[in-house]
Amino acid sequence: MRGNQYADSFNEGMEYRAYRYFGCHYTNGGYVFRLWAPSAEKVFVVGSFNGWSEATPMVRLLGSGLWEGFVPEGELEIGDLYKYKLVCGDKEAYKADPFAAYSGIWPESASRVFPIREYDWSDGAWMEERRKSFSGPDARRRPINIYELHIPSWKKRRDGTVLSYTELCDSLTPYLLQMGYTHVEIIEPFEAVEGIKSCFYAFSALHGSPLEFCELVDALHKAGIGVILDWNIYEFSLAEHGLYGFDGYSICYDADGEDKKKRFDLSSRVVQSFLISNAVYLADTFHIDGIRMEKLSSVLYNENGSFDRAATALVRRINGVMRDYFPDVIMMTDDLFGKNGVTSSASDGLGFTFKWDSVCTRDTLAYSAIELSERARHTSELSAPLKHAFGEASVLTLAHSDVAEKRQSFISMMPGNYDEKFAGNRVFLTYMMTRPGKKLRFMGSEIGQFDEWDPFGEVQWFLLDYEKHARLQLYLAKLGHIYLENPALWELDCEPRGFSLDSAQGGIFAYRRFDSDGGEIAVVLNFTPYRICKYSVSVSREGEWEELISSDSAQFGGSGVENGRVESIPVRTGTTPYSLTVDLPPLGAVVLKYIK
């Protein structure tokens, strides 16, 4: 496509792969730079290769807002720093390349020369399976257990520096397999550029080059693990964002004036081309398996609480394009309170694959903090979120936002003594892993870290030297694999026939899960500090049941209450034809499976 044709389609909001043309690209004999800056009068490529001088002017293509410059191959190298210098009258500004593939490490704000070339992928088997299993609504019938990861603070080298993408291939991949995760969601995947963290094209040099990030994705895919990236459309919408000058406009007004407080006009067709291309770029270039739009409510809601029509239309359009281009890529967002149809593709829906179930998280955290002696009176409150469990396709979350910003970690919220905190943690995590909805947990929760998340530190792995923490990690690994191996715990997450609530009173929460082949799993949760003997559990099958896990098993740090295999027998009363009897441990969970 010729330059003016690209400019026309970009200007009309119809260019969905703008990254293939704009930015820095290698061509015969050198590097070509292309920028959309219709308001600028002059533009220069300045950088370490030319002493940050105006020695490399760009030329405006006739009749368009597109500028183009060329640097011969011998005059710069891969990794050289560069910016665009935009001039308008007597004002000038230096801007990072909005389509750069690579950037420096904050506070360095320049882009780096790094023309994206095709990576030699070896994840063909994963991509084929993804097409078969995750296209459209099929994703809702798959097991999804997500590890939310902040790479800089997950694990560090001995000298305190962060791991590279290459090192993560060797350490992260086996850990995710050990713990039974299906996906990893990387938060803040793009380092701050010009002071703002954003949905930005440029990968920071903090962990390695874009191609080294491809190596990490490739390694995860070969291990059967998907990759989800956080994508912050809210940061992009702010006028103070570094991208605000990509059209050259920011240098034509006083940056300290009222205009700085304005947002982008998200109805702008140019902005739509840029953002849609950004989402397509991540899936196309890096084989990303999912995108979560974070802080979306800040974009969709106006100050008066009404929905912003332009922003809503843009989100629908992004999801629509991704559904057409990459139907097997998961599109996810936070819970938008008061908004129905978040995961509906109908004309009035937003078209996401999943949304975070913030109501369930809120109610779970609230109930977990209730004093042990008071829980029996409030058990029914846990059932409230289930009234809406099947209206949307949801993800149950214990995310970084729940343990950051002076908030306690999940285990530290628990009342009781030291042992009771661990027992309470096990029973609540069993609840989240077995009730309807896909799963997401933030790093550190699997080892019972008491301190809140420190984005500048690392997960407190030294805690695994202590028995209680090591046994909690073992429990979560076992629970993760039980989840993966039993379709009753995920296949019918979005359908009422996959779930039956049997008890929500007196501190006991009991329910059953089903799959489409008739498989049945019974879950009984005792949120009280008392052992309950010979508790009757309602089931729909007569015969032998196997205890898949007891959270009170000694191997997981409990007191040793287990049931093994039990028989269900006919009953004359009640809503189910059979029941079985189990001993419930204090602050314990029992998960049983019917043996066909």
Side-chain angles (χ1 to χ4, degrees):
M1 187 184 295
R2 297 175 59 186
N4 282 1
Q5 292 175 308
Y6 259 107
D8 290 343
S9 60
F10 189 71
N11 187 48
E12 291 299 317
M14 300 300 294
E15 182 51 58
Y16 302 152
R17 286 192 165 100
Y19 54 89
R20 292 184 175 179
Y21 187 76
F22 293 99
C24 173
H25 296 272
Y26 179 78
T27 186
N28 294 332
Y31 297 86
V32 62
F33 296 82
R34 300 189 184 97
L35 176 71
W36 178 265
S39 301
E41 296 175 0
K42 297 179 182 178
V43 182
F44 303 89
V45 184
V46 299
S48 57
F49 61 92
N50 64 10
W52 301 94
S53 71
E54 297 181 356
T56 311
M58 300 181 76
V59 177
R60 185 197 294 267
L61 297 188
L62 185 64
S64 76
L66 192 154
W67 295 78
E68 186 174 287
F70 181 80
V71 179
E73 186 170 9
E75 295 184 12
L76 56 73
E77 298 178 355
I78 299 296
D80 281 351
L81 300 175
Y82 75 96
K83 279 191 172 185
Y84 295 117
K85 180 178 181 180
L86 297 91
V87 179
C88 184
D90 61 348
K91 297 182 179 180
E92 60 185 37
Y94 292 82
K95 291 292 180 181
D97 186 348
F99 285 96
Y102 200 23
S103 74
I105 302 173
W106 177 254
E108 181 184 282
S109 60
S111 304
R112 291 192 174 199
V113 174
F114 198 92
I116 283 292
R117 61 183 185 273
E118 185 64 27
Y119 175 77
D120 186 16
W121 293 94
S122 57
D123 63 348
W126 165 267
M127 297 297 285
E128 180 61 27
E129 179 60 29
R130 195 183 82 177
R131 281 188 286 271
K132 292 178 180 178
S133 302
F134 281 86
S135 293
D138 290 345
R140 299 173 183 180
R141 284 181 161 238
R142 302 298 302 167
I144 296 180
N145 186 20
I146 304 169
Y147 190 63
E148 193 184 33
L149 173 74
H150 181 250
I151 293 177
S153 61
W154 181 64
K155 186 178 290 187
K156 286 184 165 63
R157 303 185 184 110
R158 290 185 177 181
D159 62 1
T161 56
V162 299
L163 298 179
S164 68
Y165 293 130
T166 302
E167 290 169 315
L168 283 168
C169 292
D170 298 327
S171 56
L172 177 64
T173 305
Y175 185 71
L176 296 175
L177 291 175
Q178 170 193 335
M179 299 302 297
Y181 290 103
T182 63
H183 292 74
V184 58
E185 179 176 326
I186 301 174
I187 66 172
E188 300 183 4
F190 307 103
E191 177 111 19
V193 176
E194 298 191 351
I196 302 294
K197 295 176 181 178
S198 65
C199 52
F200 206 73
Y201 285 78
F203 280 81
S204 162
L206 183 64
H207 302 290
S209 73
L211 290 182
E212 288 170 321
F213 179 74
C214 289
E215 291 178 8
L216 174 61
V217 175
D218 207 21
L220 289 166
H221 282 179
K222 287 187 287 186
I225 297 167
V227 180
I228 300 169
L229 294 185
D230 277 9
W231 198 65
N232 199 329
I233 191 174
Y234 169 68
E235 295 285 7
F236 178 87
S237 72
L238 298 177
E240 63 185 6
H241 194 289
L243 288 181
Y244 196 74
F246 84 90
D247 65 349
Y249 178 69
S250 68
I251 60 174
C252 298
Y253 66 85
D254 183 3
D256 296 324
E258 290 298 314
D259 283 322
K260 188 175 180 181
K261 298 180 181 179
K262 293 181 180 179
R263 288 187 180 183
F264 264 118
D265 178 7
L266 293 180
S267 65
S268 163
R269 294 176 180 178
V270 173
V271 169
Q272 292 185 24
S273 281
F274 182 89
L275 285 176
I276 295 173
S277 291
N278 191 190
V280 171
Y281 169 72
L282 296 175
D284 184 24
T285 306
F286 299 102
H287 286 200
I288 294 304
D289 306 286
I291 293 172
R292 180 179 77 90
M293 295 190 201
E294 61 172 320
K295 296 185 179 179
L296 192 58
S297 59
S298 300
V299 175
L300 296 186
Y301 286 102
N302 291 316
E303 293 181 0
N304 61 6
S306 63
F307 268 87
D308 185 302
R309 292 185 178 181
T312 304
L314 172 60
V315 169
R316 287 195 187 110
R317 192 164 178 225
I318 292 171
N319 285 334
V321 170
M322 291 299 291
R323 191 163 53 248
D324 292 340
Y325 281 47
F326 302 97
D328 52 349
V329 169
I330 294 170
M331 300 299 291
M332 190 162 53
T333 189
D334 305 336
D335 200 348
L336 303 176
F337 294 101
K339 176 63 177 176
N340 295 322
V342 175
T343 59
S344 170
S345 299
S347 58
D348 60 342
L350 293 180
F352 285 97
T353 317
F354 297 105
K355 75 166 188 177
W356 283 16
D357 190 343
S358 299
V359 174
C360 178
T361 301
R362 179 196 64 195
D363 290 357
T364 300
L365 293 178
Y367 187 75
S368 69
I370 294 175
E371 288 298 324
L372 301 181
S373 60
E374 295 294 317
R375 283 184 177 171
R377 299 170 49 204
H378 297 273
T379 313
S380 60
E381 296 172 11
L382 276 182
S383 63
L386 291 168
K387 298 176 183 179
H388 312 285
F390 309 107
E392 301 272 12
S394 300
V395 178
L396 310 181
T397 65
L398 185 60
H400 70 283
S401 55
D402 299 315
V403 295
E405 300 175 1
K406 298 183 179 180
R407 299 182 183 183
Q408 295 174 297
S409 69
F410 189 49
I411 192 170
S412 65
M413 297 177 191
M414 302 289 168
N417 60 37
Y418 187 72
D419 287 343
E420 288 172 332
K421 285 180 180 292
F422 277 90
N425 199 36
R426 291 193 299 270
V427 70
F428 274 101
L429 290 174
T430 306
Y431 166 64
M432 296 190 74
M433 286 297 292
T434 57
R435 65 146 280 174
K438 308 309 177 186
K439 323 298 176 186
L440 179 145
R441 287 197 310 275
F442 185 53
M443 63 184 197
S445 63
E446 74 275 20
I447 65 170
Q449 181 171 311
F450 279 88
D451 291 342
E452 68 182 39
W453 170 46
D454 177 8
F456 302 103
E458 68 175 328
V459 173
Q460 296 175 339
W461 299 108
F462 67 86
L463 292 174
L464 293 176
D465 293 335
Y466 299 89
E467 183 180 10
K468 286 289 185 182
H469 296 273
R471 291 186 183 278
L472 176 63
Q473 184 194 46
L474 178 63
Y475 181 72
L476 266 295
K478 177 68 173 177
L479 198 59
H481 286 283
I482 287 174
Y483 170 77
L484 296 181
E485 294 162 4
N486 291 277
L489 295 177
W490 42 262
E491 184 188 15
L492 303 179
D493 273 336
C494 302
E495 301 179 40
R497 66 190 177 107
F499 177 82
S500 174
L501 178 62
D502 297 316
S503 177
Q505 57 185 347
I508 306 299
F509 204 66
Y511 48 87
R512 286 170 293 141
R513 302 296 309 276
F514 309 94
D515 62 37
S516 59
D517 291 330
E520 183 175 349
I521 286 180
V523 181
V524 190
L525 309 169
N526 179 13
F527 293 110
T528 75
Y530 313 109
R531 178 173 177 173
I532 301 175
C533 298
K534 300 187 182 305
Y535 184 84
S536 180
V537 181
S538 299
V539 295
S540 58
R541 297 291 189 89
E542 180 180 17
E544 192 172 21
W545 290 71
E546 178 185 9
E547 186 177 57
L548 294 179
I549 196 167
S550 167
S551 67
D552 198 57
S553 171
Q555 66 175 316
F556 305 129
S559 62
V561 176
E562 297 182 68
N563 293 276
R565 292 192 176 186
V566 294
E567 292 281 338
S568 59
I569 59 174
V571 293
R572 295 182 179 180
T573 59
T575 58
T576 55
Y578 307 99
S579 71
L580 50 84
T581 301
V582 295
D583 286 348
L584 297 181
L587 293 172
V590 172
V591 181
L592 305 119
K593 178 181 180 180
Y594 176 73
I595 302 174
K596 296 182 180 179

